[in-house]
Amino acid sequence: MLVHPAVAPAYDAVIDQLLEGLTQGASQDIGICTLDAMKAQSWSRAPRQIVAVGAAAYTAAERAFPDARVLPILVGTLPPQARNGLSSFVDPALVVEQLQVLSPTTEVLYFIHLQTVPAELIRRAQRAANTLGLRWIPIAVDGLRAAALAIERVRGEASTSSAVWFHRDVLALNPDILIPPIVRSSWKVGFPVISDDADTVERGLLFALTPDYRALGRAAAAHLSEDHRGLSDIRWVQRVLNARTARAIGLTVRPAEEIGFDALDD
């Protein structure tokens, strides 16, 4: 069974894709239930395996079905009782490796992230950057004002050897305010700006690696039947490139590299 919290209509497609992937990866019928409906319903037959979207769904499912195998997915940290799960964050090594392919002259990486991002993920991102020889400059923000100040700092410091990575949800604080000034600087100076949100690529960022939720659903089905341990970052991604921005900042994107992207904004 797939258990998920109530979501805004804009996220209905995510739940549908997770369910589709889970159905593809499982050998039995898959039920689906919102968190509130699960709490309210009387169960004559308890599910044996549950994929719970988010920490709240995991906690509630563990409490309601103590004999079931419950897998948390799209969580920031692994719940204490869980032996494994799937993170809400894309594997940082994938992002940094993609950056190096497109912009091999990059030497400095600004990493702008929310303060709530787990410290261990930030350490993994730094290791990935350092492994590729990049100088690492993390900037933690706690809201819109701090994010705007971080952008002003980067606009004053960045050069053609810099790149800027907006980690998950930073630009979502207010994309209309935050995205235009950094895109203008990116095009004027000639440095890449990347994120984890495909919508930002349509607005001028160079590329994004965003979760492939169907593939994530299939991975969740596999995790239920295998003995994985710990929290796994998302490695099932869709790659979105803005080829116009690539040209504007002086990058040459060869056709062989373009093939690696699931969508091109030109």
Side-chain angles (χ1 to χ4, degrees), residues 187 242-249 265-266:
W187 281 42
N242 190 315
R244 184 165 174 251
T245 291
R247 293 191 296 270
I249 65 176
D265 190 343
D266 203 359

Side-chain angles (χ1 to χ4, degrees), residues 160-227:
T160 54
S161 63
S162 304
V164 184
W165 176 6
F166 287 94
H167 194 245
R168 180 178 173 132
D169 296 332
V170 172
L171 293 176
L173 292 168
N174 193 319
D176 292 333
I177 290 176
L178 299 176
I179 293 178
I182 194 64
V183 169
R184 285 195 296 269
S185 291
S186 168
W187 281 42
K188 180 180 179 180
V189 177
F191 61 87
V193 183
I194 63 179
S195 82
D196 307 306
D197 182 353
D199 290 342
T200 64
V201 177
E202 296 179 4
R203 304 184 66 160
L205 271 67
L206 176 63
F207 77 81
L209 302 190
T210 188
D212 180 337
Y213 291 106
R214 289 185 184 87
L216 186 62
R218 292 192 293 271
H223 272 62
L224 283 170
S225 60
E226 298 172 2
D227 191 25

Side-chain angles (χ1 to χ4, degrees), residues 23-223:
T23 302
Q24 292 170 353
S27 58
Q28 66 262 27
D29 292 336
I30 305 295
I32 183 169
C33 187
T34 65
L35 179 55
D36 290 342
M38 186 200 73
K39 292 177 179 178
Q41 188 169 338
S42 296
W43 298 87
S44 58
R45 183 181 176 187
R48 292 176 299 150
Q49 295 183 318
I50 300 171
V51 174
V53 180
Y58 173 81
T59 300
E62 275 278 300
R63 186 180 300 118
F65 308 111
D67 296 326
R69 165 83 169 92
V70 184
L71 177 75
I73 68 170
L74 298 177
V75 292
T77 57
L78 190 66
Q81 308 94 324
R83 72 181 184 211
N84 65 358
L86 298 176
S87 172
S88 58
F89 302 116
V90 171
D91 186 340
L94 292 181
V95 181
V96 177
E97 288 163 6
Q98 185 67 76
L99 174 64
Q100 187 182 53
V101 168
L102 288 177
S103 182
T105 60
T106 293
E107 298 175 356
V108 179
L109 179 57
Y110 291 87
F111 180 70
I112 302 177
H113 65 91
L114 295 178
Q115 286 185 348
T116 52
V117 170
E120 176 54 31
L121 182 127
I122 297 172
R123 285 192 290 269
R124 291 200 302 275
Q126 181 174 3
R127 285 197 298 269
N130 293 160
T131 297
L132 296 181
L134 299 177
R135 180 184 167 209
W136 174 257
I137 303 179
I139 304 176
V141 300
D142 60 359
L144 178 59
R145 183 175 183 274
L149 290 173
I151 287 173
E152 286 308 302
R153 172 184 168 182
V154 169
R155 293 179 71 195
E157 296 178 0
S159 68
T160 54
S161 63
S162 304
V164 184
W165 176 6
F166 287 94
H167 194 245
R168 180 178 173 132
D169 296 332
V170 172
L171 293 176
L173 292 168
N174 193 319
D176 292 333
I177 290 176
L178 299 176
I179 293 178
I182 194 64
V183 169
R184 285 195 296 269
S185 291
S186 168
W187 281 42
K188 180 180 179 180
V189 177
F191 61 87
V193 183
I194 63 179
S195 82
D196 307 306
D197 182 353
D199 290 342
T200 64
V201 177
E202 296 179 4
R203 304 184 66 160
L205 271 67
L206 176 63
F207 77 81
L209 302 190
T210 188
D212 180 337
Y213 291 106
R214 289 185 184 87
L216 186 62
R218 292 192 293 271
H223 272 62

Side-chain angles (χ1 to χ4, degrees), residues 225-236:
S225 60
E226 298 172 2
D227 191 25
H228 292 276
R229 295 287 174 175
L231 187 66
S232 300
D233 288 330
I234 296 174
R235 296 190 61 84
W236 311 274

